[in-house]
Each structure stands twice: as structure tokens, then as C-alpha cells.
């Protein structure tokens, strides 16, 4: 596997932080990665697919993986498919203008975090193998599932949505007294109580 140096990691993550700063309320990870791909020149290694994983480009996996250092450093958050920069991340971006220094500090803070964790202890800094990492794969699966649910809810028929919510309320232990029939309901769709 080609060596991804700390300098190169920083050259990729600093522009990612710029994107995150442009979206203070967070940005979907897939959108951040797509924007980053437009802003940086990928190396042939980064642009290539993983061996034995046709269609899975290394670039996105590398960013997801190397951003773990920044997350554990407290510089960014990944939550429900959204990526955010923290105040500490903004300060680090300003303080460490050299990409290598930026990344080395993130790695140092990752190691500090790792040392504070109960056994088994990580081997040091996060380093990807030639196949996708389980943590990044889980992150992508969670993002894909959330996106599919959001797409389904945007497309669902309003009456089906109303029935779905009524069923959800029942499953949560509420007594659903009334569900509006199809047609005008003066803005009241469901009447429920605990």
C-alpha cells in the first residue's frame, strides 16, 4: 500500500475543515466528501478503487478514516450522517496552518485519547489497511440507512404518513383516540394521549 504521509493527510483534512466551516450547522458526509473531491487533486493511489472492491474508491475511505484522528481530537463531530466542525477544530485550523503540523497535532491528540481508553488499547495512530476499515464501513452504512429513511419519508403519501405516525404512537404506548379520515381535517390528523 502506498504511504499516506501526515503531510498528505493534513493536505486533505484542512480543505475538509474549510468545507465544514462553510456549513456551521453541519453537512451530510457524502456532500462534504463530494465537495472535497472537487477541491483537491487526488493522487493516482487515492483516485483508484480498492483491490477486490470494484467501484469503491480509496479517496472517500481514506478521508473517513483519517478524519477519525480529528474526531478523537475533538476538532470535528460525526453524528447521524452529518459532519460538524467544533470550536476546537476552528482554533486548530487557525493555529496549525502547515498541513503536516495540523495532522501531527490531531494524531497526538488521538493517541492521548486512545491512552485514556480501557483495554484493548489501540496500536497508536489510526492507519488504514488496503481494505475498508470496519468503523468507516459502519459509518457509511448508518449514513446510507438514514438517507434512505429520509428519502422514503419525503416521498410517502401524506395519509400513509399519518397512519405511520399513529402506529408509531401506539407502539410507544399512547392510546390513539382518533385518526383523521382522508380529506380536510382542519389541521388535526391524530388525537392521542398517554
Amino acid at each position: 500500500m502506498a504511504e499516506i504521509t501526515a503531510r498528505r493527510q493534513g493536505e486533505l483534512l484542512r480543505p475538509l475543515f474549510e468545507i465544514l466551516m462553510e456549513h456551521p450547522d453541519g453537512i451530510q458526509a457524502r456532500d462534504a466528501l463530494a465537495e472535497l473531491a472537487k477541491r483537491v487533486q487526488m493522487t493516482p493511489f487515492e483516485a483508484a478503487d480498492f483491490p477486490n472492491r470494484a467501484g469503491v474508491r480509496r479517496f472517500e475511505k481514506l478521508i473517513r478514516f483519517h478524519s477519525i484522528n480529528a474526531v478523537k481530537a475533538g476538532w470535528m463531530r460525526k453524528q447521524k450522517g452529518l459532519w460538524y466542525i467544533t470550536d476546537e477544530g476552528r482554533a486548530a485550523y487557525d493555529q496549525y496552518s502547515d498541513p503536516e503540523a495540523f495532522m501531527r497535532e490531531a494524531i497526538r491528540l488521538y493517541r492521548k485519547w486512545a491512552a485514556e481508553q480501557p483495554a484493548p488499547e489501540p496500536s497508536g495512530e489510526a492507519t488504514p489497511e488496503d481494505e475498508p476499515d470496519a468503523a468507516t464501513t459502519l459509518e457509511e452504512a448508518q449514513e446510507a440507512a438514514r438517507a434512505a429513511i429520509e428519502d422514503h419519508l419525503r416521498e410517502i403519501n401524506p395519509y400513509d404518513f399519518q397512519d405511520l405516525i399513529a402506529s408509531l404512537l401506539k407502539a410507544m404506548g399512547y392510546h390513539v383516540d382518533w385518526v383523521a379520515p382522508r380529506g380536510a381535517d382542519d389541521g388535526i390528523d391524530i388525537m392521542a394521549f398517554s
Side-chain angles (χ1 to χ4, degrees), residues 62-96:
L62 290 170
I63 300 302
R64 286 178 185 279
F65 191 83
H66 291 302
S67 65
I68 292 171
N69 292 304
V71 170
K72 299 306 180 187
W75 294 356
M76 68 181 283
R77 289 186 11 236
K78 297 177 177 181
Q79 185 177 26
K80 298 182 179 178
L82 291 176
W83 287 2
Y84 307 85
I85 190 166
T86 64
D87 291 338
E88 293 85 354
R90 284 183 185 83
Y93 180 87
D94 291 339
Q95 183 177 353
Y96 301 99

Short mmCIF file of all heavy atoms in Angstrom, two decimals, residues 62-96:
data_model
loop_
_atom_site.label_atom_id
_atom_site.label_comp_id
_atom_site.label_asym_id
_atom_site.label_seq_id
_atom_site.Cartn_x
_atom_site.Cartn_y
_atom_site.Cartn_z
N LEU A 62 -10.30 6.89 2.70
CA LEU A 62 -9.14 7.49 3.37
C LEU A 62 -9.55 8.72 4.18
O LEU A 62 -9.10 8.91 5.31
CB LEU A 62 -8.06 7.86 2.35
CG LEU A 62 -7.35 6.68 1.70
CD1 LEU A 62 -6.48 7.16 0.53
CD2 LEU A 62 -6.50 5.93 2.72
N ILE A 63 -10.41 9.55 3.61
CA ILE A 63 -10.85 10.75 4.33
C ILE A 63 -11.64 10.34 5.57
O ILE A 63 -11.42 10.86 6.66
CB ILE A 63 -11.71 11.66 3.43
CG1 ILE A 63 -10.92 12.14 2.21
CG2 ILE A 63 -12.27 12.84 4.24
CD1 ILE A 63 -9.66 12.89 2.52
N ARG A 64 -12.56 9.41 5.40
CA ARG A 64 -13.33 8.95 6.56
C ARG A 64 -12.40 8.41 7.64
O ARG A 64 -12.57 8.68 8.82
CB ARG A 64 -14.33 7.86 6.14
CG ARG A 64 -15.51 8.37 5.37
CD ARG A 64 -16.41 7.19 4.96
NE ARG A 64 -17.49 7.60 4.11
CZ ARG A 64 -18.62 8.16 4.54
NH1 ARG A 64 -18.79 8.37 5.83
NH2 ARG A 64 -19.56 8.49 3.70
N PHE A 65 -11.42 7.63 7.22
CA PHE A 65 -10.52 7.00 8.18
C PHE A 65 -9.63 8.02 8.86
O PHE A 65 -9.52 8.04 10.09
CB PHE A 65 -9.68 5.92 7.49
CG PHE A 65 -8.94 5.08 8.48
CD1 PHE A 65 -9.55 4.01 9.10
CD2 PHE A 65 -7.63 5.37 8.81
CE1 PHE A 65 -8.87 3.25 10.04
CE2 PHE A 65 -6.94 4.61 9.75
CZ PHE A 65 -7.57 3.54 10.36
N HIS A 66 -8.97 8.87 8.10
CA HIS A 66 -8.04 9.83 8.70
C HIS A 66 -8.77 10.91 9.49
O HIS A 66 -8.18 11.52 10.38
CB HIS A 66 -7.12 10.42 7.63
CG HIS A 66 -6.16 9.42 7.09
ND1 HIS A 66 -5.26 8.74 7.88
CD2 HIS A 66 -5.95 8.94 5.84
CE1 HIS A 66 -4.56 7.90 7.15
NE2 HIS A 66 -4.97 8.01 5.90
N SER A 67 -10.03 11.13 9.21
CA SER A 67 -10.78 12.11 9.99
C SER A 67 -11.08 11.59 11.39
O SER A 67 -11.44 12.37 12.28
CB SER A 67 -12.07 12.52 9.27
OG SER A 67 -12.96 11.42 9.17
N ILE A 68 -10.91 10.30 11.63
CA ILE A 68 -11.09 9.75 12.98
C ILE A 68 -10.15 10.45 13.95
O ILE A 68 -10.52 10.75 15.09
CB ILE A 68 -10.87 8.22 12.98
CG1 ILE A 68 -11.99 7.52 12.19
CG2 ILE A 68 -10.79 7.68 14.41
CD1 ILE A 68 -11.75 6.05 11.95
N ASN A 69 -8.92 10.72 13.50
CA ASN A 69 -7.98 11.45 14.36
C ASN A 69 -8.57 12.79 14.79
O ASN A 69 -8.49 13.17 15.96
CB ASN A 69 -6.65 11.68 13.63
CG ASN A 69 -5.88 10.39 13.39
OD1 ASN A 69 -5.59 9.66 14.32
ND2 ASN A 69 -5.55 10.13 12.15
N ALA A 70 -9.17 13.51 13.85
CA ALA A 70 -9.75 14.83 14.14
C ALA A 70 -10.97 14.70 15.06
O ALA A 70 -11.18 15.56 15.92
CB ALA A 70 -10.13 15.54 12.84
N VAL A 71 -11.74 13.65 14.89
CA VAL A 71 -12.90 13.43 15.77
C VAL A 71 -12.42 13.18 17.20
O VAL A 71 -12.91 13.79 18.15
CB VAL A 71 -13.77 12.27 15.26
CG1 VAL A 71 -14.82 11.88 16.29
CG2 VAL A 71 -14.42 12.63 13.94
N LYS A 72 -11.46 12.29 17.36
CA LYS A 72 -10.96 11.96 18.70
C LYS A 72 -10.20 13.12 19.32
O LYS A 72 -10.11 13.23 20.53
CB LYS A 72 -10.09 10.70 18.66
CG LYS A 72 -10.83 9.46 18.19
CD LYS A 72 -12.10 9.21 18.97
CE LYS A 72 -12.81 7.97 18.48
NZ LYS A 72 -14.11 7.78 19.09
N ALA A 73 -9.67 14.02 18.48
CA ALA A 73 -9.01 15.23 18.97
C ALA A 73 -10.03 16.25 19.45
O ALA A 73 -9.67 17.24 20.08
CB ALA A 73 -8.13 15.83 17.87
N GLY A 74 -11.31 16.03 19.11
CA GLY A 74 -12.36 16.98 19.49
C GLY A 74 -12.53 18.11 18.49
O GLY A 74 -13.19 19.10 18.77
N TRP A 75 -11.96 17.95 17.31
CA TRP A 75 -11.98 19.00 16.30
C TRP A 75 -13.20 18.93 15.39
O TRP A 75 -13.55 19.92 14.75
CB TRP A 75 -10.73 18.95 15.44
CG TRP A 75 -9.47 19.25 16.19
CD1 TRP A 75 -9.34 19.65 17.50
CD2 TRP A 75 -8.15 19.20 15.66
NE1 TRP A 75 -8.03 19.83 17.81
CE2 TRP A 75 -7.26 19.56 16.70
CE3 TRP A 75 -7.62 18.87 14.42
CZ2 TRP A 75 -5.89 19.62 16.53
CZ3 TRP A 75 -6.25 18.92 14.25
CH2 TRP A 75 -5.39 19.30 15.30
N MET A 76 -13.79 17.77 15.27
CA MET A 76 -14.99 17.63 14.45
C MET A 76 -15.87 16.57 15.07
O MET A 76 -15.41 15.76 15.88
CB MET A 76 -14.66 17.33 12.97
CG MET A 76 -14.04 15.99 12.71
SD MET A 76 -13.64 15.70 10.94
CE MET A 76 -15.25 15.32 10.26
N ARG A 77 -17.16 16.60 14.67
CA ARG A 77 -18.13 15.61 15.13
C ARG A 77 -18.77 14.95 13.93
O ARG A 77 -18.99 15.60 12.90
CB ARG A 77 -19.21 16.27 15.98
CG ARG A 77 -18.72 16.74 17.31
CD ARG A 77 -19.81 17.29 18.24
NE ARG A 77 -21.17 17.07 17.82
CZ ARG A 77 -22.07 18.06 17.66
NH1 ARG A 77 -21.74 19.30 17.85
NH2 ARG A 77 -23.29 17.78 17.30
N LYS A 78 -19.08 13.69 14.09
CA LYS A 78 -19.83 12.94 13.09
C LYS A 78 -21.06 12.41 13.81
O LYS A 78 -20.96 11.64 14.75
CB LYS A 78 -19.01 11.78 12.55
CG LYS A 78 -17.76 12.20 11.81
CD LYS A 78 -16.97 10.98 11.36
CE LYS A 78 -15.75 11.37 10.56
NZ LYS A 78 -15.00 10.17 10.12
N GLN A 79 -22.24 12.87 13.36
CA GLN A 79 -23.46 12.49 14.06
C GLN A 79 -24.59 12.33 13.06
O GLN A 79 -24.95 13.29 12.36
CB GLN A 79 -23.80 13.56 15.09
CG GLN A 79 -24.97 13.25 15.95
CD GLN A 79 -25.20 14.32 17.00
OE1 GLN A 79 -24.82 15.48 16.82
NE2 GLN A 79 -25.81 13.93 18.10
N LYS A 80 -25.13 11.13 12.97
CA LYS A 80 -26.27 10.83 12.13
C LYS A 80 -26.06 11.28 10.68
O LYS A 80 -26.94 11.87 10.07
CB LYS A 80 -27.54 11.45 12.71
CG LYS A 80 -27.89 10.90 14.07
CD LYS A 80 -29.17 11.50 14.60
CE LYS A 80 -29.48 10.89 15.96
NZ LYS A 80 -30.68 11.46 16.54
N GLY A 81 -24.88 10.99 10.17
CA GLY A 81 -24.59 11.31 8.77
C GLY A 81 -24.14 12.73 8.53
O GLY A 81 -23.76 13.08 7.41
N LEU A 82 -24.18 13.58 9.55
CA LEU A 82 -23.72 14.96 9.41
C LEU A 82 -22.35 15.11 10.03
O LEU A 82 -22.05 14.52 11.07
CB LEU A 82 -24.69 15.92 10.11
CG LEU A 82 -26.06 16.11 9.49
CD1 LEU A 82 -26.92 17.01 10.36
CD2 LEU A 82 -25.96 16.69 8.10
N TRP A 83 -21.53 15.92 9.38
CA TRP A 83 -20.21 16.26 9.92
C TRP A 83 -20.23 17.72 10.31
O TRP A 83 -20.74 18.57 9.58
CB TRP A 83 -19.13 16.00 8.88
CG TRP A 83 -18.84 14.55 8.64
CD1 TRP A 83 -19.46 13.47 9.21
CD2 TRP A 83 -17.87 14.01 7.75
NE1 TRP A 83 -18.92 12.30 8.72
CE2 TRP A 83 -17.95 12.61 7.82
CE3 TRP A 83 -16.94 14.58 6.89
CZ2 TRP A 83 -17.12 11.77 7.08
CZ3 TRP A 83 -16.13 13.75 6.15
CH2 TRP A 83 -16.21 12.36 6.24
N TYR A 84 -19.65 18.02 11.47
CA TYR A 84 -19.58 19.37 12.02
C TYR A 84 -18.15 19.68 12.43
O TYR A 84 -17.45 18.80 12.90
CB TYR A 84 -20.42 19.50 13.30
CG TYR A 84 -21.84 19.07 13.20
CD1 TYR A 84 -22.20 17.73 13.37
CD2 TYR A 84 -22.84 20.00 12.99
CE1 TYR A 84 -23.52 17.33 13.31
CE2 TYR A 84 -24.17 19.61 12.93
CZ TYR A 84 -24.50 18.28 13.10
OH TYR A 84 -25.81 17.89 13.04
N ILE A 85 -17.78 20.93 12.35
CA ILE A 85 -16.53 21.37 12.95
C ILE A 85 -16.85 21.93 14.33
O ILE A 85 -17.92 22.51 14.53
CB ILE A 85 -15.80 22.41 12.07
CG1 ILE A 85 -14.38 22.65 12.60
CG2 ILE A 85 -16.59 23.70 11.97
CD1 ILE A 85 -13.49 23.38 11.62
N THR A 86 -15.94 21.73 15.28
CA THR A 86 -16.13 22.25 16.63
C THR A 86 -15.34 23.56 16.77
O THR A 86 -14.52 23.90 15.90
CB THR A 86 -15.63 21.24 17.68
OG1 THR A 86 -14.21 21.08 17.51
CG2 THR A 86 -16.33 19.90 17.55
N ASP A 87 -15.56 24.24 17.87
CA ASP A 87 -14.77 25.45 18.15
C ASP A 87 -13.29 25.09 18.25
O ASP A 87 -12.42 25.83 17.78
CB ASP A 87 -15.24 26.11 19.44
CG ASP A 87 -16.63 26.73 19.30
OD1 ASP A 87 -17.05 27.01 18.15
OD2 ASP A 87 -17.30 26.94 20.34
N GLU A 88 -13.01 23.93 18.85
CA GLU A 88 -11.62 23.48 18.95
C GLU A 88 -11.03 23.22 17.56
O GLU A 88 -9.86 23.48 17.31
CB GLU A 88 -11.52 22.20 19.79
CG GLU A 88 -11.86 22.40 21.25
CD GLU A 88 -13.36 22.30 21.55
OE1 GLU A 88 -14.18 22.18 20.60
OE2 GLU A 88 -13.72 22.37 22.73
N GLY A 89 -11.86 22.72 16.65
CA GLY A 89 -11.41 22.47 15.28
C GLY A 89 -11.09 23.77 14.55
O GLY A 89 -10.11 23.85 13.81
N ARG A 90 -11.92 24.78 14.75
CA ARG A 90 -11.65 26.10 14.15
C ARG A 90 -10.33 26.66 14.68
O ARG A 90 -9.51 27.19 13.93
CB ARG A 90 -12.78 27.08 14.44
CG ARG A 90 -14.01 26.86 13.63
CD ARG A 90 -15.06 27.95 13.94
NE ARG A 90 -16.29 27.67 13.23
CZ ARG A 90 -17.23 26.84 13.65
NH1 ARG A 90 -17.08 26.20 14.79
NH2 ARG A 90 -18.31 26.63 12.94
N ALA A 91 -10.14 26.52 16.00
CA ALA A 91 -8.91 27.02 16.62
C ALA A 91 -7.70 26.26 16.09
O ALA A 91 -6.67 26.87 15.78
CB ALA A 91 -9.00 26.92 18.13
N ALA A 92 -7.81 24.95 15.96
CA ALA A 92 -6.70 24.15 15.43
C ALA A 92 -6.41 24.52 13.98
O ALA A 92 -5.24 24.61 13.58
CB ALA A 92 -7.03 22.66 15.55
N TYR A 93 -7.46 24.74 13.20
CA TYR A 93 -7.27 25.14 11.80
C TYR A 93 -6.49 26.45 11.73
O TYR A 93 -5.59 26.59 10.91
CB TYR A 93 -8.63 25.29 11.11
CG TYR A 93 -8.52 25.70 9.67
CD1 TYR A 93 -8.35 24.74 8.67
CD2 TYR A 93 -8.55 27.04 9.29
CE1 TYR A 93 -8.22 25.11 7.35
CE2 TYR A 93 -8.42 27.41 7.97
CZ TYR A 93 -8.26 26.44 7.00
OH TYR A 93 -8.12 26.81 5.68
N ASP A 94 -6.82 27.39 12.59
CA ASP A 94 -6.12 28.68 12.61
C ASP A 94 -4.70 28.54 13.15
O ASP A 94 -3.77 29.17 12.65
CB ASP A 94 -6.89 29.70 13.45
CG ASP A 94 -8.21 30.12 12.81
OD1 ASP A 94 -8.36 29.96 11.57
OD2 ASP A 94 -9.09 30.60 13.55
N GLN A 95 -4.53 27.72 14.18
CA GLN A 95 -3.22 27.60 14.82
C GLN A 95 -2.21 26.82 13.98
O GLN A 95 -1.04 27.16 13.98
CB GLN A 95 -3.38 26.91 16.18
CG GLN A 95 -2.08 26.81 16.95
CD GLN A 95 -2.27 26.19 18.33
OE1 GLN A 95 -3.39 25.95 18.78
NE2 GLN A 95 -1.17 25.94 19.02
N TYR A 96 -2.65 25.77 13.29
CA TYR A 96 -1.75 24.90 12.55
C TYR A 96 -1.98 25.07 11.05
O TYR A 96 -2.68 24.28 10.44
CB TYR A 96 -1.95 23.43 12.96
CG TYR A 96 -1.71 23.20 14.43
CD1 TYR A 96 -2.78 23.11 15.32
CD2 TYR A 96 -0.42 23.08 14.93
CE1 TYR A 96 -2.57 22.91 16.67
CE2 TYR A 96 -0.20 22.88 16.28
CZ TYR A 96 -1.28 22.80 17.15
OH TYR A 96 -1.06 22.60 18.48
#
